[in-house]
Amino acid sequence: MSAGFPPIDVASEWPKLNEQLVSLVDVVPDDKMNWSPKPELWNLRGILLHVPMARYNWLASNVKDGEATVDVGEFLREGQTKDGMRQHLRLSWERLERFLSAPGKLDATYELSYYGEPHKLTGHWVAYHLLEHDIHHRADIFHYLALLGIEHPNVETP
């Protein structure tokens, strides 16, 4: 972290963003869950599963938060249903919230491989990355819904 730049407090706004992601699960019609605008792009189901899996992966593999590793096979089976997607968006958020609520974990430096290169990153950087990741994929979902002609609820951006 550069001198003179204090950590950004985002944890208080993030639960709203997560609940918006959870609510988007219900906006997607069942018959459009496997839809994407182009074959090489992720479908809606893939995006909705990718968000919690990325959280789990960063916290277990990179931060090593000490919590149980998620069984990927079980996660993917459960995530095929809307109930499972909502469940994992909430469970992964709860795990992430525990990390965000621990100043020592946010202030810590983590040695990890990022895009194949070794890096030393703070917990604040990890938090920023995961917040940006959530917002980025929420936008993907909004764009997909727009292409399908489906209105999404108005949302408040943190």
Side-chain angles (χ1 to χ4, degrees):
M1 183 166 288
S2 300
F5 294 100
I8 298 171
D9 178 14
V10 297
S12 63
E13 293 297 316
W14 208 334
K16 288 185 248 177
L17 172 63
N18 188 66
E19 282 306 307
Q20 291 167 3
L21 286 165
V22 170
S23 71
L24 287 174
V25 171
D26 293 322
V27 176
V28 178
D30 291 339
D31 66 336
K32 298 298 182 190
M33 289 301 285
N34 295 323
W35 182 87
S36 74
K38 295 172 71 176
E40 62 269 23
L41 297 176
W42 288 3
N43 61 34
L44 286 157
R45 181 185 315 278
I47 294 168
L48 288 162
L49 290 174
H50 172 69
V51 171
M53 182 49 77
R55 293 171 179 172
Y56 289 141
N57 185 53
W58 270 90
L59 294 171
S61 300
N62 297 317
V63 170
K64 296 176 180 47
D65 64 359
E67 296 193 25
T69 302
V70 171
D71 179 293
V72 174
E74 184 177 318
F75 166 79
L76 291 174
R77 278 189 301 280
E78 292 171 353
Q80 296 307 302
T81 68
K82 287 185 172 186
D83 285 341
M85 285 179 205
R86 286 189 295 270
Q87 173 190 358
H88 280 286
L89 282 164
R90 287 188 173 119
L91 288 172
S92 65
W93 163 250
E94 290 168 6
R95 184 172 179 168
L96 181 55
E97 189 173 38
R98 288 188 291 277
F99 170 73
L100 296 171
S101 300
K105 289 182 180 181
L106 287 172
D107 291 338
T109 299
Y110 302 94
E111 293 184 29
L112 52 101
S113 177
Y114 190 67
Y115 289 108
E117 297 291 324
H119 289 278
K120 290 184 179 183
L121 302 169
T122 68
H124 295 283
W125 187 95
V126 172
Y128 166 78
H129 172 73
L130 288 172
L131 175 63
E132 186 276 333
H133 184 260
D134 282 5
I135 292 170
H136 163 80
H137 286 300
R138 181 184 68 171
D140 285 340
I141 295 167
F142 287 165
H143 292 142
Y144 283 24
L145 292 172
L147 289 169
L148 289 168
I150 299 169
E151 287 193 39
H152 60 75
N154 288 329
V155 296
E156 180 181 322
T157 299

